[in-house]
């Protein structure tokens, strides 16, 4: 059994200085500054609770997943390296580029460029103008300016003497 707690006696209590005691007894609460207290709510919001529930359900789903339901799959490795033809093509291309970049212009021979005038001579131009005038004259000919004529056919028959002479020859 335990003993009941015992109150300390007056002589065992701490002693308060007289001037402090008089200040405490004469304290006026009206001299204190007014302060407003705000209550802080540290509980999570409904959105936080919903997010946490979703995350918890997701984790439980991952933890409880049965790997026996998975199907076996074959992995095919693909070779990302280029084939022989692609490497050869790239080497040829690189050689061409390096040849062009490293070309020495000093080894070239100097040449003189001669411009040739390939225009036709004046005689050919005049001949072509004459042909164009002739064609234009034919195309633009006005047949209404012609006069009406009557054609007489003449067919001279040879005489009897001419026929006999021809036979004897």
């Amino acid at each position: 059994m335990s003993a009941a707690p015992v109150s300390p006696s007056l002589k065992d209590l701490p002693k308060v200085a007289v001037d402090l005691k008089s200040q405490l007894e004469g304290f006026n609460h009206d001299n204190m500054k007014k302060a407003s207290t705000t209550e802080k709510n540290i509980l999570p919001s409904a959105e936080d609770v919903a997010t946490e529930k979703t995350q918890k359900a997701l984790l439980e789903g991952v933890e409880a997943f049965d790997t026996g339901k998975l199907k076996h799959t074959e992995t095919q490795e693909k070779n990302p390296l280029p084939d022989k033809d692609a490497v050869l093509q790239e080497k040829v291309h690189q050689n061409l580029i390096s040849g062009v970049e490293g070309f020495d212009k000093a080894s070239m021979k100097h040449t003189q460029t001669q411009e040739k005038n390939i225009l036709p001579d004046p005689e050919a131009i005049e001949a072509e103008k004459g042909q164009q005038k002739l064609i234009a004259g034919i195309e633009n000919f006005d047949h209404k300016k012609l006069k009406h004529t009557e054609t007489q056919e003449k067919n001279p028959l040879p005489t009897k003497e001419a026929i006999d002479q021809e036979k004897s020859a």
Side-chain angles (χ1 to χ4, degrees):
M1 285 199 129
S2 69
V6 179
S7 296
S9 64
L10 189 58
K11 65 177 186 169
D12 295 333
L13 290 175
K15 303 291 182 214
V16 179
V18 176
D19 59 339
L20 182 61
K21 187 176 181 183
S22 64
Q23 284 179 359
L24 287 174
E25 288 173 352
F27 180 73
N28 185 0
H29 292 284
D30 295 334
N31 292 340
M32 293 179 67
K33 293 180 182 176
K34 296 285 183 186
S36 62
T37 57
T38 56
E39 199 174 309
K40 292 183 181 177
N41 186 2
I42 57 170
L43 294 176
S45 67
E47 292 174 3
D48 294 338
V49 172
T51 304
E52 192 173 328
K53 281 184 181 179
T54 304
Q55 288 176 348
K56 186 176 180 182
L58 183 64
L59 285 174
E60 287 175 357
V62 170
E63 290 172 354
F65 183 74
D66 183 16
T67 56
K69 293 180 181 177
L70 293 174
K71 295 179 184 175
H72 181 71
T73 322
E74 291 291 327
T75 304
Q76 294 179 355
E77 287 189 31
K78 294 184 179 181
N79 186 0
L81 297 175
D83 61 347
K84 180 174 69 171
D85 295 332
V87 171
L88 184 61
Q89 254 184 345
E90 190 171 340
K91 281 184 180 179
V92 168
H93 183 70
Q94 288 296 330
N95 287 339
L96 286 174
I97 289 175
S98 64
V100 169
E101 288 174 348
F103 185 72
D104 183 19
K105 293 179 186 176
S107 66
M108 296 176 75
K109 295 178 184 176
H110 184 71
T111 59
Q112 288 283 345
T113 304
Q114 293 180 349
E115 291 186 25
K116 294 182 179 179
N117 188 357
I118 55 171
L119 294 176
D121 59 346
E123 295 166 353
I125 293 173
E126 287 301 320
E128 190 174 337
K129 280 183 183 178
Q131 266 187 333
Q132 287 177 350
K133 285 180 184 177
L134 178 65
I135 291 171
I138 293 171
E139 289 176 348
N140 298 329
F141 180 73
D142 187 11
H143 65 282
K144 293 177 184 173
K145 292 181 180 178
L146 292 175
K147 295 179 185 174
H148 183 68
T149 58
E150 298 249 352
T151 307
Q152 294 179 356
E153 283 190 37
K154 294 183 181 178
N155 191 0
L157 294 174
T159 61
K160 189 173 185 178
E161 297 148 359
I163 293 173
D164 287 342
Q165 198 179 23
E166 215 176 287
K167 283 185 182 177
S168 62

